[in-house]
Amino acid sequence: MLRFAQSSSASPANHMDLSVLERQRAQLQRLYHHHHQQSWHDQEKDCFDLLSVVSNSNDSSRTQAVVPKPDHQQCNSSLANREANNVKKRKAEFDVEEDGKEKGVVAEEEKSEITMKTERENSSNTCSKVSEVQKPDYIHVRARRGQATDSHSLAERARREKISKKMKCLQDLVPGCYKVTGKAGMLDEIINYVQSLQKQVEFLSMKLAAVNPRLDFSIDNIFAKEIPAYIASLPAAQFEAANSTCLQYNPMQPGPSNCGVDIAMDRSQMLPPRPGTSSLPIPEAFLDSSCISISLCTLSRTNSPPPPAFKMARTIIILSNIAAAAAEAFFFVDNL
Amino acid sequence: MKIAKNPHTNPTSIKTRFALRFLRAIDKLNNNNNIISTPSPLNSADRRRRCRAIRAAAYASMAFAVGPNKAWSRAVLRKIRNRTKEMIKPRTRRGAVRGTINPRNELGLGQEKELRELVPGGEAMDFRRLLNETGHYIQCLRAQVQVMRKILHYSST
């Protein structure tokens, strides 16, 4: 281990790497200025910095070339012997062992874990299920028994855990995904769900195309509808109930309804109703209709200026004349 | 992490914005049809064209409602602008940037490639970002379906 540290300090790194090292050092000094282990050797710090550089650079491969491989392997074996599942246990080892060599190894191992924690801090995680946070600034990457603790596999493991977290979030979104375990099955479910949603959009647009020329799509007509009656008639907006409402629409329109029925039936077979999953609460139906009425109200009464973020979009809409808009939609759809 | 506002009490939620734009688009399409052609297009070609126009309007208005914050909505908006510009002056189309498919994620079934094809703008992303975009895209698609269903219900009764 010491040989590795010596080699790292002996080899004059490039200016690029030095700056990276300095950056890493500054960052870590900021984080651990309260740490009581200030009495480390500079060599250990260099070694640790190199490790942190290697572990932090997931995407850039240039710093990985800096670490000399055979020395790294030696570091590996010494680290692998010192694996512990608990940080506290390792700290106890740290206190007990007097040998400077072993102290350095344990500290290194601990530090390699802590660098993974800092890396995790930097990357923002939007998933709500962060169950690994034990302290505000500590996210543990557990090195399990028999697993390598070199920086490459640590980085790889952190990346895999992030991906599995995202997959868990997606599992919440997609209904009926709780049964499936494993990445392949879940990806299949997700793909099926997205395809079914897109087919639903197509089906609904077909329905709208059939309905609209028949009815004058006037706002007063819609306003005149009784909203409470609509609430009573509309079932709770769940996925399987929505299929049944689709089926109800079909007998009213004889024209395009034949293919419509087939699509609705296919969809209901694809996703059998599950009583456990409920996507929306019941008062949502009322609020949605009120939301629609509010939006129609604003449409009819005022030309409310759109927020500045959409000004460009609005000018695009205005500039292209209506025939062009329809034709452009045609092109857009063909290449969707 | 952003605290999710209740979309039913929030007047600037995605559903409201999408509904506004979509209704405006449908109004425009209706006016166009009333001006140009007969009021009731009975032949299937006209109906199919109208259906496709409405579907495109739905996707476009959803992308506008989401804004340029997400990569998939940016990809959709870019496609629309390119189509508009191409109509004004024809331009050679640039090839899409292909992101490298990670062999560690590839399970041999082409799922990752399929997901990239489904989500707009998914070709030039790494896998983690692709999963993020898929999550948001699923939420927006679901909202879109709900709003369209409500509009259909209103206009048919």
Side-chain angles (χ1 to χ4, degrees):
Chain A
M1 193 283 297
L2 284 175
R3 209 185 75 184
F4 169 70
Q6 280 168 9
S7 69
S8 69
S9 59
S11 63
N14 305 339
H15 293 292
M16 203 168 54
D17 300 318
L18 267 181
S19 67
V20 170
L21 287 176
E22 279 163 359
R23 251 187 286 135
Q24 293 295 332
R25 201 173 288 133
Q27 180 185 9
L28 289 153
Q29 273 174 3
R30 253 184 286 124
L31 283 168
Y32 302 118
H33 70 280
H34 62 278
H35 210 279
H36 64 281
Q37 293 163 357
Q38 291 291 334
S39 58
W40 282 350
H41 214 258
D42 279 350
Q43 284 182 350
E44 289 170 352
K45 235 183 196 177
D46 283 343
C47 172
F48 147 63
D49 282 334
L50 268 180
L51 263 184
S52 67
V53 158
V54 168
S55 61
N56 272 342
S57 63
N58 271 337
D59 302 320
S60 67
S61 55
R62 71 183 158 86
T63 51
Q64 288 183 4
V66 172
V67 178
K69 281 283 175 171
D71 296 331
H72 199 59
Q73 289 303 320
Q74 194 190 14
C75 204
N76 257 346
S77 57
S78 62
L79 280 176
N81 293 336
R82 296 277 160 231
E83 249 178 53
N85 281 335
N86 208 346
V87 179
K88 288 179 187 170
K89 187 178 169 190
R90 220 176 298 115
K91 276 188 180 165
E93 278 181 15
F94 182 85
D95 291 331
V96 163
E97 280 157 358
E98 307 279 13
D99 193 5
K101 198 177 191 175
E102 296 193 351
K103 235 192 227 179
V105 168
V106 169
E108 208 174 67
E109 182 190 343
E110 187 179 332
K111 276 303 175 183
S112 66
E113 276 219 1
I114 293 177
T115 55
M116 299 318 293
K117 291 166 203 165
T118 61
E119 187 208 349
R120 281 189 160 215
E121 272 176 54
N122 293 339
S123 67
S124 61
N125 195 353
T126 56
C127 182
S128 58
K129 287 187 188 170
V130 181
S131 55
E132 297 175 346
V133 176
Q134 297 180 5
K135 288 187 203 175
D137 49 342
Y138 267 65
I139 299 177
H140 287 267
V141 175
R142 295 254 182 245
R144 296 196 192 89
R145 279 185 76 87
Q147 284 187 355
T149 51
D150 64 331
S151 52
H152 295 284
S153 47
L154 273 178
E156 181 65 30
R157 197 178 313 133
R159 186 187 149 269
R160 273 200 302 262
E161 289 188 10
K162 278 181 202 160
I163 286 186
S164 64
K165 258 195 203 169
K166 294 283 183 307
M167 298 285 277
K168 280 198 196 104
C169 286
L170 279 174
Q171 207 172 13
D172 292 336
L173 273 179
V174 177
C177 211
Y178 54 90
K179 287 185 190 170
V180 188
T181 53
K183 221 161 70 165
M186 274 191 47
L187 274 179
D188 273 336
E189 281 290 327
I190 291 169
I191 288 173
N192 282 339
Y193 189 56
V194 171
Q195 278 172 344
S196 76
L197 280 176
Q198 286 176 344
K199 276 188 201 137
Q200 274 200 317
V201 168
E202 193 168 335
F203 173 65
L204 284 171
S205 68
M206 193 174 59
K207 286 268 159 200
L208 277 172
V211 160
N212 277 330
R214 192 164 54 86
L215 266 189
D216 186 20
F217 197 71
S218 66
I219 296 166
D220 297 329
N221 271 349
I222 295 171
F223 241 134
K225 307 297 178 206
E226 294 179 0
I227 293 180
Y230 165 73
I231 303 305
S233 61
L234 194 66
Q238 294 186 4
F239 199 59
E240 54 272 21
N243 285 337
S244 64
T245 56
C246 276
L247 288 171
Q248 281 171 20
Y249 289 145
N250 291 330
M252 295 198 305
Q253 293 148 15
S257 65
N258 293 330
C259 53
V261 169
D262 293 337
I263 294 176
M265 293 298 286
D266 284 343
R267 223 188 357 273
S268 60
Q269 281 166 12
M270 237 166 57
L271 296 150
R274 290 192 191 92
T277 63
S278 67
S279 53
L280 299 157
I282 293 184
E284 188 262 348
F286 171 71
L287 290 169
D288 261 344
S289 58
S290 65
C291 146
I292 292 275
S293 60
I294 289 172
S295 68
L296 294 172
C297 174
T298 56
L299 248 188
S300 62
R301 287 186 195 162
T302 61
N303 287 332
S304 55
F310 301 118
K311 232 179 236 179
M312 188 161 47
R314 197 184 181 197
T315 51
I316 289 176
I317 292 176
I318 291 174
L319 281 178
S320 61
N321 56 359
I322 296 179
E328 149 222 323
F330 196 78
F331 281 121
F332 169 76
V333 161
D334 282 345
N335 295 317
L336 200 59
Chain B
M1 195 186 79
K2 282 194 297 185
I3 300 172
K5 287 189 194 173
N6 187 3
H8 317 306
T9 54
N10 183 14
T12 58
S13 70
I14 285 184
K15 275 190 188 173
T16 323
R17 296 202 299 257
F18 166 69
L20 264 174
R21 288 182 177 274
F22 188 48
L23 290 171
R24 262 186 229 151
I26 291 188
D27 257 346
K28 270 189 207 166
L29 279 174
N30 275 341
N31 293 339
N32 182 30
N33 276 339
N34 288 339
I35 290 170
I36 292 181
S37 64
T38 60
S40 60
L42 289 177
N43 49 343
S44 56
D46 268 347
R47 209 184 298 139
R48 229 177 293 131
R49 192 168 2 118
R50 207 179 136 72
C51 161
R52 265 179 257 157
I54 287 186
R55 189 182 73 184
Y59 281 123
S61 46
M62 177 48 90
F64 281 131
V66 165
N69 293 330
K70 287 284 169 184
W72 67 266
S73 62
R74 282 198 295 267
V76 171
L77 293 175
R78 214 182 304 137
K79 264 187 228 172
I80 296 176
R81 280 179 208 144
N82 287 341
R83 296 299 162 260
T84 319
K85 282 180 192 168
E86 267 177 21
M87 289 188 47
I88 297 175
K89 44 176 178 173
R91 208 194 280 177
T92 58
R93 205 175 301 162
R94 275 177 293 162
V97 175
R98 289 271 154 193
T100 56
I101 294 183
N102 204 338
R104 285 174 289 207
N105 288 323
E106 182 71 42
L107 296 168
L109 301 170
Q111 289 162 332
E112 186 182 331
K113 198 174 67 150
E114 211 174 324
L115 194 58
R116 281 179 197 273
E117 281 166 17
L118 276 179
V119 177
E123 286 97 10
M125 276 189 239
D126 58 340
F127 191 61
R128 209 173 73 211
R129 202 159 164 221
L130 179 68
L131 291 181
N132 266 340
E133 299 289 323
T134 308
H136 193 258
Y137 186 57
I138 285 179
Q139 282 176 332
C140 292
L141 269 182
R142 204 189 285 167
Q144 189 175 352
V145 161
Q146 285 166 4
V147 169
M148 283 172 77
R149 204 170 273 147
K150 292 272 168 55
I151 292 176
L152 186 67
H153 192 271
Y154 268 128
S155 62
S156 64
T157 55

